Amino acid sequence: MTVQGYDPRTGQPYGDPLEVTSDTEVDRLCEAAHSAYLTWSDRAAEDRARVLDLVADRLDGESEALIAVADAETALGVPRLTTELKRTTNQLRMFADVLREGSYVDATIDSPNMDIIPPRPDVRRVLRPIGVIAVFSASNFPFALSTVGSDTASALAAGCAVVVKAHPGHPNTTNETGRVVAAALSEGGAPDGLFSVVHGTQSGVRLVQHPLVKAVGFTGSLSGGRALYDLANSRPDPIPFYGELGSVNPTVVLPAAAAERSSEIAAGFAQSVTMGVGQFCTNPGLVFAPSSIVDDLGKAVTDSHGGAMLNERMHDTYRSTVDTLSHSDLVSLVATGSAPGDAWASKPALFSVPLATFEANLEKLTEENFGPSALVVTYSDVADVLPVLSRLPGTLTGTVHAQPSENADAAAVAGELRKIAGRLIYNGWPTGIALAWAMQHGGPWPATTNASHTSIGVPGIYRWLAPVTYQTWPDELLPPELRDANPLGITRRRDGVLGNH
């Protein structure tokens, strides 16, 4: 069996067919990864940081060739892919800096005290890497959320080994990226087997079920993620499954903002909803707004452009959903944009529905339509919107557009959105996610399978770490992060006080 890449602009095959990875080969790669993990996890943080920097440098050095392959397989365009690859290498360097800073290990020391009840011995706690991680590539970010994207970068930084399940939508991009990464790791002295790639649906199933795999990172569809989540939890030894699955990303436009900044908001909305042909997990697919702004929103969508979607299945599903909504008695078609004549091209679309109708059909009208479409829910009084927000499915983001005079209403809306969303945006748009310590890219089900973790940003590293406490161990046998002299100079909590002691 083989996996074939395609050019979304023509619908024709791209590159040679690639062999599906056999179960025997998956097993071999997992065993090699486990052996590599045993070595890599004991490497000094500075050494791991140096290797991550080297991988970033080598990817930058081959950027032109990588981007050409990715554009042929995704039709995302050279400008977008250039930015995405740079984001990917910056992400690797960010985690290298995290390793050098050192506080991510959460080193905690409690001195012995035999005079309290119960008596306390010397106990010291640190986060340690957990093992081999299976990473499932995303369709819509062939670099930043795929082969060496956020899951892989954070897992390697943590001290884990990675086996990547390639996405069938860009298999050649995966192979070429994987080639550069593997060569850079070898050049940097990383152990053989630390990073590898597999192809084919069955290889992904095998990975999730393999006893040496200790956690899974996934970005993809709700149906695919749910199937793998169930597999991870049905193992004899269930493992964490960190899935980012789907999101409608509600936006609430308050009345004064709609009256005073209608054109500006409409332009920003259209740019956000059509970015990457709407194939972003943070696409603002649901907007609550006064009816006065609908015409401007419609005009902005009419003036916008679609493009070729990532694969034929996504294109067909998007078109089918738009056609169904266009003929629905529940919603009205407000506007459609234009699209090129590419094989899998899709046009932007905007629909509207009154709040009462939306509330009565909430489950049906909150299904994500992956592509450049959105539904605007019109309201008269923001007080009527508040109880509806808390009934929305879990989402990655929630956005508020408001004027300073509407601070009280904005706070009330945020109070509802924070119950269902992992990131709240004020007078902005959810597409575009910063690489930062404070970033949260997660939310309640079905946005993610674990709302307390993030798949983007520095805290993503915590998914691949587990705490270990050392009790009454000799100082010379402790990990460097826990020794009395603090040889790494990292920030630690000692007897309840944070510092460099």
Side-chain angles (χ1 to χ4, degrees):
M1 297 179 62
T2 60
V3 176
Q4 177 65 61
Y6 287 87
D7 182 340
R9 296 183 178 97
T10 65
Q12 297 302 306
Y14 173 81
D16 295 329
L18 302 172
E19 290 293 325
V20 167
T21 309
S22 68
D23 286 352
T24 301
E25 180 65 4
V26 171
D27 292 346
R28 187 191 71 79
L29 292 173
C30 287
E31 290 163 6
H34 178 69
S35 295
Y37 150 72
L38 296 176
T39 301
W40 182 248
S41 60
D42 281 338
R43 293 279 181 90
E46 173 57 41
D47 190 32
R48 298 203 302 271
R50 175 187 58 80
V51 174
L52 291 182
D53 280 340
L54 180 62
V55 174
D57 290 344
R58 296 299 178 261
L59 288 167
D60 281 340
E62 297 207 35
S63 60
E64 186 174 344
L66 293 174
I67 289 165
V69 176
D71 184 46
E73 283 192 311
T74 67
L76 290 173
V78 171
R80 147 71 195 274
L81 290 167
T82 300
T83 300
E84 186 186 329
L85 183 54
K86 177 51 68 174
R87 173 191 180 89
T88 304
T89 56
N90 285 345
Q91 195 163 240
L92 286 160
R93 295 186 179 100
M94 176 186 74
F95 279 111
D97 289 341
V98 169
L99 291 175
R100 294 185 176 102
E101 190 270 343
S103 67
Y104 77 97
V105 298
D106 194 26
T108 305
I109 300 171
D110 286 311
S111 302
N113 186 342
M114 296 300 142
D115 296 329
I116 61 174
I117 300 175
R120 184 179 69 216
D122 182 289
V123 287
R124 306 182 182 217
R125 181 182 184 272
V126 70
L127 297 179
R128 298 288 295 162
I130 60 175
V132 179
I133 310 301
V135 171
F136 283 72
S137 291
S139 62
N140 54 342
F141 283 87
F143 296 124
L145 296 178
S146 289
T147 314
V148 67
S150 54
D151 289 346
T152 298
S154 57
L156 291 176
C160 295
V162 173
V163 181
V164 174
K165 161 58 176 69
H167 194 280
H170 42 75
N172 295 285
T173 305
T174 299
N175 269 14
E176 286 302 296
T177 305
R179 173 186 60 79
V180 177
V181 172
L185 289 172
S186 179
E187 179 186 349
D192 292 342
L194 184 66
F195 166 89
S196 56
V197 173
V198 300
H199 292 273
T201 301
Q202 177 55 33
S203 70
V205 173
R206 187 78 169 184
L207 271 180
V208 175
Q209 294 178 317
H210 199 283
L212 290 177
V213 169
K214 298 305 179 184
V216 181
F218 173 89
T219 299
S221 68
L222 175 58
S223 59
R226 180 61 202 239
L228 294 174
Y229 173 82
D230 290 342
L231 279 177
N233 284 279
S234 65
R235 289 172 39 139
D237 57 334
I239 58 174
F241 182 91
Y242 298 107
E244 192 252 278
L245 309 180
S247 184
V248 294
N249 304 297
T251 295
V252 180
V253 181
L254 296 180
E260 298 177 38
R261 295 190 288 115
S262 180
S263 296
E264 173 194 329
I265 291 171
F269 161 75
Q271 181 181 34
S272 183
V273 82
T274 60
M275 186 178 293
V277 200
Q279 299 166 121
F280 276 40
C281 50
T282 51
N283 180 38
L286 185 61
V287 180
F288 295 85
S291 57
S292 61
I293 198 176
V294 172
D295 284 347
D296 279 346
L297 292 173
K299 183 178 185 305
V301 169
T302 300
D303 294 340
S304 67
H305 305 282
M309 298 192 73
L310 292 163
N311 59 55
E312 188 173 18
R313 178 184 58 80
M314 288 181 184
H315 165 266
D316 291 348
T317 300
Y318 174 78
R319 289 288 298 274
S320 175
T321 302
V322 168
D323 288 345
T324 298
L325 288 173
S326 298
H327 294 92
S328 170
D329 294 333
L330 298 177
V331 304
S332 300
L333 178 63
V334 175
T336 57
S338 60
D342 297 334
W344 298 335
S346 293
K347 297 178 181 179
L350 179 66
F351 299 89
S352 70
V353 62
L355 179 62
T357 303
F358 175 81
E359 187 172 9
N361 299 274
L362 189 143
E363 185 174 351
K364 182 182 298 184
L365 295 177
T366 52
E367 294 179 3
E368 182 185 23
N369 184 20
F370 196 65
S373 75
L375 176 66
V376 56
V377 181
T378 57
Y379 70 87
S380 299
D381 189 333
V382 70
D384 297 330
V385 177
L386 297 178
V388 179
L389 295 177
S390 62
R391 293 177 53 204
L392 296 178
T395 183
L396 294 169
T397 72
T399 299
V400 182
H401 281 272
Q403 295 298 97
S405 61
E406 299 176 298
N407 278 350
D409 283 340
V413 170
E416 298 301 323
L417 289 176
R418 70 175 178 81
K419 300 172 185 177
I420 61 165
R423 177 165 58 107
L424 304 182
I425 298 104
Y426 181 82
N427 283 352
W429 296 100
T431 43
I433 307 172
L435 301 176
W437 280 86
M439 181 48 61
Q440 173 64 20
H441 188 63
W445 180 273
T448 61
T449 56
N450 192 314
S452 64
H453 289 269
T454 179
S455 61
I456 297 177
V458 171
I461 198 172
Y462 295 118
R463 293 171 296 167
W464 325 122
L465 298 164
V468 176
T469 289
Y470 293 78
Q471 183 172 321
T472 63
W473 277 77
D475 190 71
E476 65 271 17
L477 297 182
L478 289 169
E481 295 90 346
L482 295 180
R483 292 175 189 167
D484 281 334
N486 193 9
L488 302 181
I490 64 173
T491 299
R492 310 188 296 187
R493 185 179 297 276
R494 186 159 196 153
D495 296 325
V497 179
L498 278 174
N500 292 96
H501 40 236

